mmCIF file of all heavy atoms in Angstrom:
data_model
loop_
_atom_site.group_PDB
_atom_site.id
_atom_site.type_symbol
_atom_site.label_atom_id
_atom_site.label_comp_id
_atom_site.label_asym_id
_atom_site.label_seq_id
_atom_site.Cartn_x
_atom_site.Cartn_y
_atom_site.Cartn_z
ATOM 1 N N MET E 1 -19.893 36.391 38.971
ATOM 2 C CA MET E 1 -20.055 35.479 37.864
ATOM 3 C C MET E 1 -19.049 35.851 36.782
ATOM 4 O O MET E 1 -18.923 36.997 36.398
ATOM 5 C CB MET E 1 -21.477 35.586 37.335
ATOM 6 C CG MET E 1 -21.754 34.672 36.219
ATOM 7 S SD MET E 1 -23.518 34.796 35.846
ATOM 8 C CE MET E 1 -23.607 33.585 34.615
ATOM 9 N N ALA E 2 -18.334 34.870 36.306
ATOM 10 C CA ALA E 2 -17.321 35.126 35.278
ATOM 11 C C ALA E 2 -17.976 35.186 33.904
ATOM 12 O O ALA E 2 -18.849 34.382 33.575
ATOM 13 C CB ALA E 2 -16.276 34.028 35.314
ATOM 14 N N HIS E 3 -17.523 36.123 33.116
ATOM 15 C CA HIS E 3 -18.015 36.258 31.754
ATOM 16 C C HIS E 3 -16.918 35.848 30.786
ATOM 17 O O HIS E 3 -15.743 36.104 31.019
ATOM 18 C CB HIS E 3 -18.425 37.708 31.468
ATOM 19 C CG HIS E 3 -19.577 38.163 32.294
ATOM 20 N ND1 HIS E 3 -20.864 37.823 32.002
ATOM 21 C CD2 HIS E 3 -19.631 38.909 33.415
ATOM 22 C CE1 HIS E 3 -21.681 38.356 32.899
ATOM 23 N NE2 HIS E 3 -20.942 39.026 33.781
ATOM 24 N N ARG E 4 -17.322 35.235 29.703
ATOM 25 C CA ARG E 4 -16.347 34.853 28.689
ATOM 26 C C ARG E 4 -15.908 36.085 27.918
ATOM 27 O O ARG E 4 -16.723 36.930 27.576
ATOM 28 C CB ARG E 4 -16.943 33.848 27.716
ATOM 29 C CG ARG E 4 -17.162 32.509 28.342
ATOM 30 C CD ARG E 4 -17.577 31.530 27.293
ATOM 31 N NE ARG E 4 -17.698 30.220 27.902
ATOM 32 C CZ ARG E 4 -18.142 29.165 27.278
ATOM 33 N NH1 ARG E 4 -18.505 29.246 26.037
ATOM 34 N NH2 ARG E 4 -18.215 28.024 27.885
ATOM 35 N N THR E 5 -14.630 36.148 27.640
ATOM 36 C CA THR E 5 -14.116 37.275 26.871
ATOM 37 C C THR E 5 -14.193 37.014 25.378
ATOM 38 O O THR E 5 -14.137 37.934 24.593
ATOM 39 C CB THR E 5 -12.659 37.565 27.247
ATOM 40 O OG1 THR E 5 -11.893 36.388 27.038
ATOM 41 C CG2 THR E 5 -12.578 37.990 28.702
ATOM 42 N N ARG E 6 -14.296 35.756 24.984
ATOM 43 C CA ARG E 6 -14.427 35.402 23.577
ATOM 44 C C ARG E 6 -15.372 34.211 23.455
ATOM 45 O O ARG E 6 -15.538 33.447 24.407
ATOM 46 C CB ARG E 6 -13.077 35.084 22.959
ATOM 47 C CG ARG E 6 -12.370 33.942 23.622
ATOM 48 C CD ARG E 6 -10.989 33.745 23.039
ATOM 49 N NE ARG E 6 -10.313 32.720 23.814
ATOM 50 C CZ ARG E 6 -9.604 31.755 23.310
ATOM 51 N NH1 ARG E 6 -9.416 31.689 22.018
ATOM 52 N NH2 ARG E 6 -9.048 30.860 24.073
ATOM 53 N N PRO E 7 -15.965 34.040 22.297
ATOM 54 C CA PRO E 7 -16.884 32.907 22.129
ATOM 55 C C PRO E 7 -16.116 31.582 22.149
ATOM 56 O O PRO E 7 -14.919 31.553 21.871
ATOM 57 C CB PRO E 7 -17.511 33.157 20.758
ATOM 58 C CG PRO E 7 -16.575 34.056 20.062
ATOM 59 C CD PRO E 7 -15.889 34.862 21.110
ATOM 60 N N PRO E 8 -16.776 30.482 22.478
ATOM 61 C CA PRO E 8 -16.088 29.190 22.482
ATOM 62 C C PRO E 8 -15.590 28.839 21.085
ATOM 63 O O PRO E 8 -16.203 29.200 20.080
ATOM 64 C CB PRO E 8 -17.162 28.208 22.951
ATOM 65 C CG PRO E 8 -18.453 28.899 22.753
ATOM 66 C CD PRO E 8 -18.181 30.366 22.827
ATOM 67 N N SER E 9 -14.455 28.167 21.028
ATOM 68 C CA SER E 9 -13.869 27.827 19.734
ATOM 69 C C SER E 9 -14.698 26.763 19.034
ATOM 70 O O SER E 9 -15.393 25.979 19.662
ATOM 71 C CB SER E 9 -12.439 27.334 19.921
ATOM 72 O OG SER E 9 -12.435 26.192 20.733
ATOM 73 N N ARG E 10 -14.597 26.740 17.726
ATOM 74 C CA ARG E 10 -15.345 25.778 16.914
ATOM 75 C C ARG E 10 -14.359 24.775 16.328
ATOM 76 O O ARG E 10 -14.082 24.773 15.136
ATOM 77 C CB ARG E 10 -16.074 26.497 15.793
ATOM 78 C CG ARG E 10 -17.016 27.562 16.246
ATOM 79 C CD ARG E 10 -17.592 28.262 15.059
ATOM 80 N NE ARG E 10 -16.550 28.438 14.042
ATOM 81 C CZ ARG E 10 -16.550 29.354 13.119
ATOM 82 N NH1 ARG E 10 -17.512 30.191 13.033
ATOM 83 N NH2 ARG E 10 -15.577 29.444 12.238
ATOM 84 N N ILE E 11 -13.801 23.934 17.154
ATOM 85 C CA ILE E 11 -12.830 22.948 16.694
ATOM 86 C C ILE E 11 -13.555 21.841 15.946
ATOM 87 O O ILE E 11 -14.604 21.371 16.378
ATOM 88 C CB ILE E 11 -12.033 22.378 17.878
ATOM 89 C CG1 ILE E 11 -11.217 23.498 18.523
ATOM 90 C CG2 ILE E 11 -11.121 21.252 17.447
ATOM 91 C CD1 ILE E 11 -10.487 23.075 19.764
ATOM 92 N N CYS E 12 -12.981 21.430 14.839
ATOM 93 C CA CYS E 12 -13.562 20.368 14.011
ATOM 94 C C CYS E 12 -13.643 19.073 14.812
ATOM 95 O O CYS E 12 -12.672 18.646 15.429
ATOM 96 C CB CYS E 12 -12.707 20.171 12.765
ATOM 97 S SG CYS E 12 -13.258 18.831 11.697
ATOM 98 N N ALA E 13 -14.789 18.435 14.804
ATOM 99 C CA ALA E 13 -14.996 17.196 15.563
ATOM 100 C C ALA E 13 -14.298 16.004 14.919
ATOM 101 O O ALA E 13 -13.945 15.043 15.598
ATOM 102 C CB ALA E 13 -16.482 16.911 15.693
ATOM 103 N N SER E 14 -14.046 16.072 13.620
ATOM 104 C CA SER E 14 -13.420 14.942 12.938
ATOM 105 C C SER E 14 -11.923 14.847 13.197
ATOM 106 O O SER E 14 -11.383 13.762 13.362
ATOM 107 C CB SER E 14 -13.656 15.048 11.432
ATOM 108 O OG SER E 14 -15.024 14.995 11.161
ATOM 109 N N CYS E 15 -11.247 16.002 13.233
ATOM 110 C CA CYS E 15 -9.788 15.983 13.374
ATOM 111 C C CYS E 15 -9.302 16.569 14.697
ATOM 112 O O CYS E 15 -8.106 16.591 14.953
ATOM 113 C CB CYS E 15 -9.141 16.724 12.215
ATOM 114 S SG CYS E 15 -9.523 18.486 12.159
ATOM 115 N N CYS E 16 -10.204 17.073 15.520
ATOM 116 C CA CYS E 16 -9.873 17.671 16.830
ATOM 117 C C CYS E 16 -8.882 18.822 16.707
ATOM 118 O O CYS E 16 -8.052 19.039 17.579
ATOM 119 C CB CYS E 16 -9.352 16.628 17.794
ATOM 120 S SG CYS E 16 -10.557 15.366 18.176
ATOM 121 N N GLY E 17 -8.918 19.542 15.593
ATOM 122 C CA GLY E 17 -8.052 20.695 15.409
ATOM 123 C C GLY E 17 -6.739 20.381 14.714
ATOM 124 O O GLY E 17 -6.026 21.284 14.304
ATOM 125 N N PHE E 18 -6.388 19.107 14.563
ATOM 126 C CA PHE E 18 -5.166 18.728 13.850
ATOM 127 C C PHE E 18 -5.562 18.439 12.407
ATOM 128 O O PHE E 18 -5.722 17.291 12.004
ATOM 129 C CB PHE E 18 -4.522 17.504 14.501
ATOM 130 C CG PHE E 18 -4.040 17.777 15.894
ATOM 131 C CD1 PHE E 18 -4.822 17.457 16.984
ATOM 132 C CD2 PHE E 18 -2.813 18.381 16.099
ATOM 133 C CE1 PHE E 18 -4.388 17.717 18.276
ATOM 134 C CE2 PHE E 18 -2.367 18.642 17.384
ATOM 135 C CZ PHE E 18 -3.159 18.314 18.470
ATOM 136 N N ALA E 19 -5.675 19.496 11.616
ATOM 137 C CA ALA E 19 -6.293 19.406 10.309
ATOM 138 C C ALA E 19 -5.401 18.824 9.222
ATOM 139 O O ALA E 19 -5.889 18.293 8.241
ATOM 140 C CB ALA E 19 -6.763 20.788 9.877
ATOM 141 N N SER E 20 -4.104 18.924 9.365
ATOM 142 C CA SER E 20 -3.190 18.417 8.342
ATOM 143 C C SER E 20 -2.183 17.475 8.973
ATOM 144 O O SER E 20 -1.774 17.665 10.112
ATOM 145 C CB SER E 20 -2.444 19.561 7.669
ATOM 146 O OG SER E 20 -3.349 20.414 7.026
ATOM 147 N N ALA E 21 -1.779 16.483 8.206
ATOM 148 C CA ALA E 21 -0.781 15.534 8.690
ATOM 149 C C ALA E 21 0.186 15.214 7.560
ATOM 150 O O ALA E 21 -0.214 15.076 6.405
ATOM 151 C CB ALA E 21 -1.456 14.253 9.157
ATOM 152 N N ALA E 22 1.462 15.125 7.882
ATOM 153 C CA ALA E 22 2.472 14.716 6.905
ATOM 154 C C ALA E 22 2.609 13.200 6.995
ATOM 155 O O ALA E 22 2.856 12.652 8.064
ATOM 156 C CB ALA E 22 3.798 15.393 7.190
ATOM 157 N N ILE E 23 2.445 12.540 5.879
ATOM 158 C CA ILE E 23 2.486 11.085 5.843
ATOM 159 C C ILE E 23 3.683 10.660 5.006
ATOM 160 O O ILE E 23 3.869 11.129 3.885
ATOM 161 C CB ILE E 23 1.190 10.518 5.230
ATOM 162 C CG1 ILE E 23 0.004 10.953 6.075
ATOM 163 C CG2 ILE E 23 1.260 9.005 5.136
ATOM 164 C CD1 ILE E 23 -1.322 10.632 5.453
ATOM 165 N N THR E 24 4.502 9.787 5.571
ATOM 166 C CA THR E 24 5.676 9.314 4.841
ATOM 167 C C THR E 24 5.276 8.241 3.849
ATOM 168 O O THR E 24 4.489 7.357 4.156
ATOM 169 C CB THR E 24 6.714 8.692 5.790
ATOM 170 O OG1 THR E 24 6.216 8.600 7.070
ATOM 171 C CG2 THR E 24 7.976 9.426 5.827
ATOM 172 N N LEU E 25 5.854 8.323 2.687
ATOM 173 C CA LEU E 25 5.573 7.349 1.647
ATOM 174 C C LEU E 25 6.547 6.186 1.708
ATOM 175 O O LEU E 25 6.398 5.210 0.991
ATOM 176 C CB LEU E 25 5.655 8.012 0.275
ATOM 177 C CG LEU E 25 4.628 9.108 0.029
ATOM 178 C CD1 LEU E 25 4.900 9.777 -1.308
ATOM 179 C CD2 LEU E 25 3.238 8.540 0.057
ATOM 180 N N GLY E 26 7.550 6.281 2.531
ATOM 181 C CA GLY E 26 8.561 5.238 2.632
ATOM 182 C C GLY E 26 9.709 5.545 1.681
ATOM 183 O O GLY E 26 9.506 6.010 0.569
ATOM 184 N N GLY E 27 10.895 5.338 2.149
ATOM 185 C CA GLY E 27 12.065 5.609 1.337
ATOM 186 C C GLY E 27 12.430 7.084 1.323
ATOM 187 O O GLY E 27 11.755 7.925 1.906
ATOM 188 N N ARG E 28 13.518 7.379 0.675
ATOM 189 C CA ARG E 28 14.005 8.750 0.586
ATOM 190 C C ARG E 28 14.197 9.117 -0.876
ATOM 191 O O ARG E 28 14.381 8.264 -1.731
ATOM 192 C CB ARG E 28 15.318 8.896 1.338
ATOM 193 C CG ARG E 28 15.178 8.605 2.822
ATOM 194 C CD ARG E 28 16.507 8.781 3.543
ATOM 195 N NE ARG E 28 16.362 8.517 4.957
ATOM 196 C CZ ARG E 28 16.049 9.439 5.853
ATOM 197 N NH1 ARG E 28 15.859 10.680 5.492
ATOM 198 N NH2 ARG E 28 15.924 9.123 7.125
ATOM 199 N N ASP E 29 14.157 10.417 -1.151
ATOM 200 C CA ASP E 29 14.429 10.838 -2.524
ATOM 201 C C ASP E 29 15.941 10.919 -2.730
ATOM 202 O O ASP E 29 16.725 10.629 -1.835
ATOM 203 C CB ASP E 29 13.727 12.161 -2.847
ATOM 204 C CG ASP E 29 14.237 13.330 -2.039
ATOM 205 O OD1 ASP E 29 15.192 13.166 -1.275
ATOM 206 O OD2 ASP E 29 13.663 14.425 -2.194
ATOM 207 N N ARG E 30 16.374 11.320 -3.896
ATOM 208 C CA ARG E 30 17.802 11.277 -4.207
ATOM 209 C C ARG E 30 18.624 12.313 -3.449
ATOM 210 O O ARG E 30 19.837 12.217 -3.389
ATOM 211 C CB ARG E 30 18.013 11.450 -5.711
ATOM 212 C CG ARG E 30 17.546 12.767 -6.221
ATOM 213 C CD ARG E 30 17.780 12.900 -7.703
ATOM 214 N NE ARG E 30 17.262 14.193 -8.118
ATOM 215 C CZ ARG E 30 16.671 14.425 -9.247
ATOM 216 N NH1 ARG E 30 16.527 13.445 -10.106
ATOM 217 N NH2 ARG E 30 16.241 15.616 -9.541
ATOM 218 N N HIS E 31 17.979 13.311 -2.840
ATOM 219 C CA HIS E 31 18.695 14.321 -2.066
ATOM 220 C C HIS E 31 18.795 13.943 -0.594
ATOM 221 O O HIS E 31 19.501 14.601 0.156
ATOM 222 C CB HIS E 31 18.018 15.684 -2.203
ATOM 223 C CG HIS E 31 17.972 16.174 -3.612
ATOM 224 N ND1 HIS E 31 19.095 16.544 -4.310
ATOM 225 C CD2 HIS E 31 16.934 16.324 -4.464
ATOM 226 C CE1 HIS E 31 18.759 16.934 -5.528
ATOM 227 N NE2 HIS E 31 17.428 16.789 -5.643
ATOM 228 N N GLY E 32 18.060 12.939 -0.135
ATOM 229 C CA GLY E 32 18.168 12.455 1.228
ATOM 230 C C GLY E 32 16.936 12.560 2.108
ATOM 231 O O GLY E 32 16.738 11.718 2.973
ATOM 232 N N PRO E 33 16.089 13.606 1.985
ATOM 233 C CA PRO E 33 14.936 13.679 2.887
ATOM 234 C C PRO E 33 13.870 12.624 2.572
ATOM 235 O O PRO E 33 13.803 12.100 1.466
ATOM 236 C CB PRO E 33 14.361 15.071 2.666
ATOM 237 C CG PRO E 33 15.134 15.705 1.599
ATOM 238 C CD PRO E 33 16.213 14.778 1.161
ATOM 239 N N LEU E 34 13.064 12.342 3.594
ATOM 240 C CA LEU E 34 11.960 11.395 3.411
ATOM 241 C C LEU E 34 10.934 11.964 2.439
ATOM 242 O O LEU E 34 10.677 13.166 2.410
ATOM 243 C CB LEU E 34 11.271 11.124 4.748
ATOM 244 C CG LEU E 34 12.041 10.301 5.761
ATOM 245 C CD1 LEU E 34 11.305 10.314 7.090
ATOM 246 C CD2 LEU E 34 12.204 8.884 5.285
ATOM 247 N N ARG E 35 10.337 11.083 1.660
ATOM 248 C CA ARG E 35 9.258 11.499 0.762
ATOM 249 C C ARG E 35 7.970 11.531 1.566
ATOM 250 O O ARG E 35 7.590 10.542 2.170
ATOM 251 C CB ARG E 35 9.127 10.532 -0.410
ATOM 252 C CG ARG E 35 10.346 10.481 -1.278
ATOM 253 C CD ARG E 35 10.178 9.578 -2.460
ATOM 254 N NE ARG E 35 9.464 8.354 -2.083
ATOM 255 C CZ ARG E 35 8.995 7.480 -2.948
ATOM 256 N NH1 ARG E 35 9.133 7.679 -4.224
ATOM 257 N NH2 ARG E 35 8.369 6.403 -2.539
ATOM 258 N N THR E 36 7.324 12.690 1.596
ATOM 259 C CA THR E 36 6.091 12.838 2.360
ATOM 260 C C THR E 36 5.018 13.502 1.514
ATOM 261 O O THR E 36 5.318 14.183 0.535
ATOM 262 C CB THR E 36 6.292 13.690 3.634
ATOM 263 O OG1 THR E 36 6.757 14.969 3.242
ATOM 264 C CG2 THR E 36 7.275 13.052 4.585
ATOM 265 N N ILE E 37 3.771 13.278 1.914
ATOM 266 C CA ILE E 37 2.643 13.995 1.334
ATOM 267 C C ILE E 37 1.871 14.613 2.497
ATOM 268 O O ILE E 37 1.990 14.178 3.642
ATOM 269 C CB ILE E 37 1.710 13.077 0.509
ATOM 270 C CG1 ILE E 37 1.151 11.943 1.369
ATOM 271 C CG2 ILE E 37 2.412 12.551 -0.718
ATOM 272 C CD1 ILE E 37 0.065 11.147 0.684
ATOM 273 N N THR E 38 1.102 15.633 2.212
ATOM 274 C CA THR E 38 0.283 16.261 3.233
ATOM 275 C C THR E 38 -1.166 15.863 3.016
ATOM 276 O O THR E 38 -1.703 16.025 1.920
ATOM 277 C CB THR E 38 0.413 17.793 3.167
ATOM 278 O OG1 THR E 38 1.789 18.123 3.275
ATOM 279 C CG2 THR E 38 -0.341 18.450 4.301
ATOM 280 N N ALA E 39 -1.786 15.328 4.057
ATOM 281 C CA ALA E 39 -3.193 14.936 3.997
ATOM 282 C C ALA E 39 -4.001 15.907 4.843
ATOM 283 O O ALA E 39 -3.625 16.225 5.962
ATOM 284 C CB ALA E 39 -3.372 13.517 4.511
ATOM 285 N N HIS E 40 -5.092 16.402 4.280
ATOM 286 C CA HIS E 40 -5.950 17.353 4.973
ATOM 287 C C HIS E 40 -7.252 16.678 5.394
ATOM 288 O O HIS E 40 -7.728 15.769 4.731
ATOM 289 C CB HIS E 40 -6.281 18.546 4.072
ATOM 290 C CG HIS E 40 -5.084 19.318 3.655
ATOM 291 N ND1 HIS E 40 -4.357 20.097 4.515
ATOM 292 C CD2 HIS E 40 -4.474 19.420 2.457
ATOM 293 C CE1 HIS E 40 -3.359 20.655 3.867
ATOM 294 N NE2 HIS E 40 -3.401 20.248 2.623
ATOM 295 N N CYS E 41 -7.815 17.150 6.488
ATOM 296 C CA CYS E 41 -9.096 16.638 6.981
ATOM 297 C C CYS E 41 -10.185 16.957 5.950
ATOM 298 O O CYS E 41 -10.322 18.111 5.544
ATOM 299 C CB CYS E 41 -9.428 17.285 8.320
ATOM 300 S SG CYS E 41 -11.067 16.894 8.941
ATOM 301 N N PRO E 42 -10.955 15.962 5.509
ATOM 302 C CA PRO E 42 -11.994 16.228 4.517
ATOM 303 C C PRO E 42 -13.188 17.013 5.073
ATOM 304 O O PRO E 42 -13.897 17.677 4.328
ATOM 305 C CB PRO E 42 -12.425 14.840 4.056
ATOM 306 C CG PRO E 42 -12.047 13.928 5.166
ATOM 307 C CD PRO E 42 -10.855 14.543 5.835
ATOM 308 N N SER E 43 -13.387 16.975 6.385
ATOM 309 C CA SER E 43 -14.537 17.675 6.957
ATOM 310 C C SER E 43 -14.338 19.183 7.007
ATOM 311 O O SER E 43 -15.263 19.950 6.769
ATOM 312 C CB SER E 43 -14.816 17.174 8.369
ATOM 313 O OG SER E 43 -15.165 15.823 8.324
ATOM 314 N N CYS E 44 -13.117 19.614 7.355
ATOM 315 C CA CYS E 44 -12.868 21.056 7.510
ATOM 316 C C CYS E 44 -11.935 21.601 6.431
ATOM 317 O O CYS E 44 -11.546 22.767 6.487
ATOM 318 C CB CYS E 44 -12.302 21.345 8.895
ATOM 319 S SG CYS E 44 -10.688 20.603 9.194
ATOM 320 N N ASP E 45 -11.543 20.784 5.473
ATOM 321 C CA ASP E 45 -10.645 21.176 4.379
ATOM 322 C C ASP E 45 -9.311 21.704 4.880
ATOM 323 O O ASP E 45 -8.723 22.614 4.303
ATOM 324 C CB ASP E 45 -11.305 22.212 3.467
ATOM 325 C CG ASP E 45 -12.485 21.632 2.718
ATOM 326 O OD1 ASP E 45 -12.430 20.437 2.370
ATOM 327 O OD2 ASP E 45 -13.466 22.365 2.488
ATOM 328 N N GLY E 46 -8.819 21.154 5.968
ATOM 329 C CA GLY E 46 -7.496 21.507 6.464
ATOM 330 C C GLY E 46 -7.417 22.773 7.285
ATOM 331 O O GLY E 46 -6.338 23.271 7.544
ATOM 332 N N THR E 47 -8.539 23.303 7.753
ATOM 333 C CA THR E 47 -8.499 24.520 8.560
ATOM 334 C C THR E 47 -8.504 24.224 10.052
ATOM 335 O O THR E 47 -8.011 25.030 10.831
ATOM 336 C CB THR E 47 -9.696 25.441 8.248
ATOM 337 O OG1 THR E 47 -10.893 24.746 8.541
ATOM 338 C CG2 THR E 47 -9.680 25.897 6.811
ATOM 339 N N GLY E 48 -9.071 23.106 10.471
ATOM 340 C CA GLY E 48 -9.153 22.763 11.884
ATOM 341 C C GLY E 48 -10.350 23.380 12.586
ATOM 342 O O GLY E 48 -10.578 23.148 13.765
ATOM 343 N N ILE E 49 -11.101 24.182 11.853
ATOM 344 C CA ILE E 49 -12.267 24.859 12.425
ATOM 345 C C ILE E 49 -13.523 24.286 11.777
ATOM 346 O O ILE E 49 -13.594 24.136 10.562
ATOM 347 C CB ILE E 49 -12.196 26.378 12.171
ATOM 348 C CG1 ILE E 49 -10.942 26.943 12.830
ATOM 349 C CG2 ILE E 49 -13.433 27.066 12.698
ATOM 350 C CD1 ILE E 49 -10.685 28.375 12.475
ATOM 351 N N ALA E 50 -14.501 23.964 12.601
ATOM 352 C CA ALA E 50 -15.743 23.384 12.095
ATOM 353 C C ALA E 50 -16.517 24.415 11.282
ATOM 354 O O ALA E 50 -16.516 25.607 11.597
ATOM 355 C CB ALA E 50 -16.598 22.885 13.248
ATOM 356 N N ARG E 51 -17.146 23.943 10.255
ATOM 357 C CA ARG E 51 -17.982 24.828 9.447
ATOM 358 C C ARG E 51 -19.230 25.179 10.233
ATOM 359 O O ARG E 51 -19.761 24.350 10.987
ATOM 360 C CB ARG E 51 -18.385 24.137 8.156
ATOM 361 C CG ARG E 51 -17.223 23.901 7.246
ATOM 362 C CD ARG E 51 -17.694 23.276 5.967
ATOM 363 N NE ARG E 51 -16.558 23.044 5.096
ATOM 364 C CZ ARG E 51 -16.474 22.065 4.246
ATOM 365 N NH1 ARG E 51 -17.464 21.204 4.138
ATOM 366 N NH2 ARG E 51 -15.418 21.931 3.493
ATOM 367 N N PRO E 52 -19.714 26.398 10.100
ATOM 368 C CA PRO E 52 -20.942 26.744 10.814
ATOM 369 C C PRO E 52 -22.115 25.928 10.294
ATOM 370 O O PRO E 52 -22.242 25.699 9.091
ATOM 371 C CB PRO E 52 -21.130 28.230 10.534
ATOM 372 C CG PRO E 52 -20.272 28.533 9.360
ATOM 373 C CD PRO E 52 -19.193 27.497 9.310
ATOM 374 N N THR E 53 -22.931 25.474 11.195
ATOM 375 C CA THR E 53 -24.101 24.708 10.791
ATOM 376 C C THR E 53 -25.219 25.667 10.421
ATOM 377 O O THR E 53 -25.473 26.646 11.115
ATOM 378 C CB THR E 53 -24.574 23.777 11.922
ATOM 379 O OG1 THR E 53 -24.818 24.565 13.076
ATOM 380 C CG2 THR E 53 -23.526 22.734 12.239
ATOM 381 N N ARG E 54 -25.839 25.390 9.326
ATOM 382 C CA ARG E 54 -26.932 26.240 8.860
ATOM 383 C C ARG E 54 -28.243 25.609 9.260
ATOM 384 O O ARG E 54 -28.491 24.433 8.999
ATOM 385 C CB ARG E 54 -26.861 26.403 7.351
ATOM 386 C CG ARG E 54 -25.627 27.175 6.931
ATOM 387 C CD ARG E 54 -25.424 27.167 5.458
ATOM 388 N NE ARG E 54 -26.609 27.607 4.744
ATOM 389 C CZ ARG E 54 -26.683 27.734 3.432
ATOM 390 N NH1 ARG E 54 -25.647 27.462 2.693
ATOM 391 N NH2 ARG E 54 -27.788 28.122 2.861
ATOM 392 N N VAL E 55 -29.064 26.369 9.895
ATOM 393 C CA VAL E 55 -30.392 25.888 10.288
ATOM 394 C C VAL E 55 -31.381 26.327 9.223
ATOM 395 O O VAL E 55 -31.516 27.509 8.934
ATOM 396 C CB VAL E 55 -30.799 26.465 11.671
ATOM 397 C CG1 VAL E 55 -32.182 26.005 12.048
ATOM 398 C CG2 VAL E 55 -29.776 26.066 12.714
ATOM 399 N N ARG E 56 -32.010 25.337 8.625
ATOM 400 C CA ARG E 56 -33.001 25.659 7.604
ATOM 401 C C ARG E 56 -34.309 26.017 8.257
ATOM 402 O O ARG E 56 -34.717 25.412 9.259
ATOM 403 C CB ARG E 56 -33.194 24.468 6.674
ATOM 404 C CG ARG E 56 -31.950 24.188 5.841
ATOM 405 C CD ARG E 56 -32.195 23.098 4.878
ATOM 406 N NE ARG E 56 -32.394 21.845 5.644
ATOM 407 C CZ ARG E 56 -32.684 20.686 5.108
ATOM 408 N NH1 ARG E 56 -32.839 20.581 3.819
ATOM 409 N NH2 ARG E 56 -32.834 19.625 5.842
ATOM 410 N N GLU E 57 -34.964 26.965 7.699
ATOM 411 C CA GLU E 57 -36.227 27.405 8.253
ATOM 412 C C GLU E 57 -37.269 26.311 8.076
ATOM 413 O O GLU E 57 -37.423 25.748 6.996
ATOM 414 C CB GLU E 57 -36.696 28.679 7.560
ATOM 415 C CG GLU E 57 -37.878 29.318 8.228
ATOM 416 C CD GLU E 57 -38.208 30.644 7.615
ATOM 417 O OE1 GLU E 57 -37.299 31.336 7.140
ATOM 418 O OE2 GLU E 57 -39.404 30.982 7.586
ATOM 419 N N GLY E 58 -37.947 25.981 9.143
ATOM 420 C CA GLY E 58 -38.991 24.967 9.084
ATOM 421 C C GLY E 58 -38.475 23.555 9.271
ATOM 422 O O GLY E 58 -39.258 22.617 9.279
ATOM 423 N N ALA E 59 -37.158 23.372 9.389
ATOM 424 C CA ALA E 59 -36.611 22.040 9.557
ATOM 425 C C ALA E 59 -36.642 21.642 11.037
ATOM 426 O O ALA E 59 -36.446 22.465 11.906
ATOM 427 C CB ALA E 59 -35.177 21.978 9.041
ATOM 428 N N ARG E 60 -36.852 20.373 11.277
ATOM 429 C CA ARG E 60 -36.829 19.879 12.647
ATOM 430 C C ARG E 60 -35.401 19.580 13.041
ATOM 431 O O ARG E 60 -34.622 19.083 12.261
ATOM 432 C CB ARG E 60 -37.647 18.608 12.782
ATOM 433 C CG ARG E 60 -39.112 18.865 12.597
ATOM 434 C CD ARG E 60 -39.865 17.601 12.848
ATOM 435 N NE ARG E 60 -41.282 17.841 12.607
ATOM 436 C CZ ARG E 60 -42.195 16.958 12.874
ATOM 437 N NH1 ARG E 60 -41.859 15.793 13.384
ATOM 438 N NH2 ARG E 60 -43.453 17.243 12.644
ATOM 439 N N VAL E 61 -35.106 19.819 14.290
ATOM 440 C CA VAL E 61 -33.746 19.582 14.777
ATOM 441 C C VAL E 61 -33.676 18.285 15.513
ATOM 442 O O VAL E 61 -34.522 17.816 16.135
ATOM 443 C CB VAL E 61 -33.295 20.727 15.693
ATOM 444 C CG1 VAL E 61 -31.899 20.468 16.222
ATOM 445 C CG2 VAL E 61 -33.353 22.030 14.935
#
């Protein structure tokens, strides 16, 4: 029987691990490169890892 050497990863379900994306605003600045902004996943705050779920005592699942 094979044993896992590490626990399973906790990849964010909202972004599937791709936590940040560069989005073009259209056009270029005066030096030539495209104008971009970075957007982060709101669920994991740009880490790509799901937050641990807290089980409250006495709560039904």
Side-chain angles (χ1 to χ4, degrees):
M1 181 174 184
H3 295 281
R4 290 187 176 175
T5 57
R6 60 185 174 137
S9 60
R10 302 176 321 204
I11 296 175
C12 177
S14 298
C15 65
C16 297
F18 295 96
S20 298
I23 300 171
T24 7
L25 297 174
R28 298 181 179 270
D29 65 4
R30 63 180 178 216
H31 300 292
L34 289 171
R35 297 183 319 169
T36 59
I37 59 171
T38 304
H40 299 290
C41 173
S43 297
C44 64
D45 294 326
T47 60
I49 299 172
R51 293 183 180 149
T53 56
R54 294 171 53 178
V55 178
R56 293 184 293 177
E57 189 173 329
R60 292 184 183 187
V61 179

